[in-house]
Amino acid sequence: QLQLVETGGGSVQAGGSLKLSCAASGSGFTDYNLAWFRQTPGEEREFVAAIDWADTTPKYVHSVTGRFFISRDNAKNTLFLRMNSLESEDTAAYYCAADTNWGRLLGGKPRYWGQGTQVTVSS
């Protein structure tokens, strides 16, 4: 069992930066592949970035490549998303997710979701 809690969302002007955190409680954090998704009202939840259990080969959706950086601190059971050069199109609720199955995670059907944190970028 894993519980995920996101923090760090807020309002920022275009071109600014934010760093999201996702604190995990429960056992086996290092066994989990982790990801960030985002969702705007009326839209499907969209994959943003993922990092595997071994902290290798991060994956990003093309629209954030070079601007967003995913990382994990296994000693603190925490997942991060550093977001630079934010654009109005990045405005969304951001969710962290966890699953031991990489394919299920990337497919948007992870075993665990956080409750989300809102990011609003004004132009």
Side-chain angles (χ1 to χ4, degrees):
Q1 193 83 3
L2 207 63
Q3 293 80 42
L4 305 173
V5 178
E6 302 96 332
T7 56
S11 297
V12 64
Q13 290 201 326
S17 298
L18 281 175
K19 186 174 183 178
L20 306 183
S21 299
C22 174
S25 58
S27 61
F29 180 79
T30 55
D31 295 332
Y32 286 90
N33 307 299
L34 305 169
W36 290 96
F37 289 75
R38 64 187 180 187
Q39 188 173 25
T40 55
E43 299 291 329
E44 296 274 323
R45 196 165 290 189
E46 173 193 34
F47 168 79
V48 176
I51 189 165
D52 67 3
W53 66 272
D55 197 2
T56 62
T57 320
K59 290 184 66 70
Y60 299 94
V61 66
H62 178 72
S63 60
V64 308
T65 298
R67 300 189 298 121
F68 289 14
F69 300 93
I70 189 170
S71 61
R72 64 190 294 165
D73 185 337
N74 287 337
K76 296 182 178 180
N77 283 11
T78 304
L79 173 71
F80 301 102
L81 185 67
R82 178 68 178 179
M83 306 185 294
N84 298 325
S85 303
L86 281 161
E87 304 168 354
S88 56
E89 292 77 12
D90 297 317
T91 294
Y94 283 71
Y95 299 86
C96 64
D99 203 304
T100 55
N101 186 291
W102 182 247
R104 195 161 56 213
L105 180 69
L106 296 187
K109 298 184 184 300
R111 184 170 183 184
Y112 300 109
W113 288 106
Q115 85 291 346
T117 186
Q118 179 67 34
V119 172
T120 302
V121 184
S122 57
S123 55

